[in-house]
Amino acid sequence: MIRQGDTIENPITGERVTFLKTSSETDGELVVIDTTVAPGGFVVAEHVHPYQSERFEVLSGDVVMVEPGTPHRFRNPGSEEIRFRTEVRPALTFETFLETMFGLASDGKTNGNGLPNAFHLAVIMSEQFDLVRLPSPPAWMQRIGLGFASPLGRLFGYEPTYIPA
């Protein structure tokens, strides 16, 4: 379980996240994180949060608000680290999702883009569909695909959350 002050890293994407306020502290209202992205670092894919807003504040002062349902991604094309604070409202299962994806990457269980194999990803995304999804194809098509691939992933022994051994 994530606690205030915990830091997790994704060696594939170059992201490091420190939890400032957790879901349990805010009664599910929000999660607040400080994110550092290494030069060349990136978020895995453009994505949509259907029921959450994300507020990004670059620590130099710029603020970007991403409303629910808005496709977004980030990348650090520069030669220095960038730091920003993110507020995610409501918290939902945001912490669990980050723990799972960062944990898999840290343990070498993802590809060079930071994604696990297709069947494991289907199990995770089926579980997290109300948290995050792709901007396209339409949600109903993604649900159909996950409906086929996720049960196969479970047969292969994949779980929707990752707990390191």
Side-chain angles (χ1 to χ4, degrees):
M1 172 191 265
I2 287 289
R3 292 186 171 87
Q4 182 182 27
D6 285 353
T7 298
I8 58 176
E9 296 186 46
N10 187 323
I12 303 297
T13 64
E15 299 167 278
R16 184 175 63 247
V17 170
T18 300
F19 292 85
L20 303 179
K21 291 184 181 177
T22 65
S23 176
S24 62
E25 290 180 282
T26 65
D27 201 26
E29 181 183 338
L30 77 152
V31 174
V32 180
I33 57 175
D34 268 353
T35 303
T36 302
V37 183
F42 57 94
V43 71
V44 169
E46 184 176 40
H47 58 279
V48 170
H49 301 285
Y51 305 108
Q52 294 171 295
S53 63
E54 273 185 298
R55 180 181 184 272
F56 296 94
E57 179 180 351
V58 179
L59 294 179
S60 64
D62 297 332
V63 174
V64 175
M65 182 65 139
V66 179
E67 297 296 339
T70 304
H72 60 285
R73 71 182 320 166
F74 58 80
R75 174 174 293 283
N76 179 2
S79 59
E80 297 181 18
E81 279 187 343
I82 57 170
R83 283 190 55 223
F84 54 90
R85 182 158 297 151
T86 307
E87 290 183 11
V88 179
R89 293 176 182 267
L92 303 177
T93 56
F94 185 76
E95 295 159 343
T96 301
F97 180 72
L98 285 185
E99 274 187 299
T100 295
M101 298 305 286
F102 281 40
L104 288 168
S106 292
D107 287 350
K109 297 182 184 290
T110 64
N111 63 22
N113 293 322
L115 295 171
N117 74 56
F119 292 108
H120 196 172
L121 185 60
V123 171
I124 294 166
M125 298 313 296
S126 183
E127 182 81 10
Q128 298 289 347
F129 198 71
D130 285 341
L131 179 80
V132 63
R133 61 183 76 147
L134 298 172
S136 64
W140 65 268
M141 287 179 121
Q142 292 180 56
R143 271 271 191 228
I144 290 171
L146 292 172
F148 287 107
S150 181
L152 288 172
R154 289 218 183 247
L155 282 174
F156 296 143
Y158 297 119
E159 297 292 330
T161 56
Y162 181 67
I163 300 169

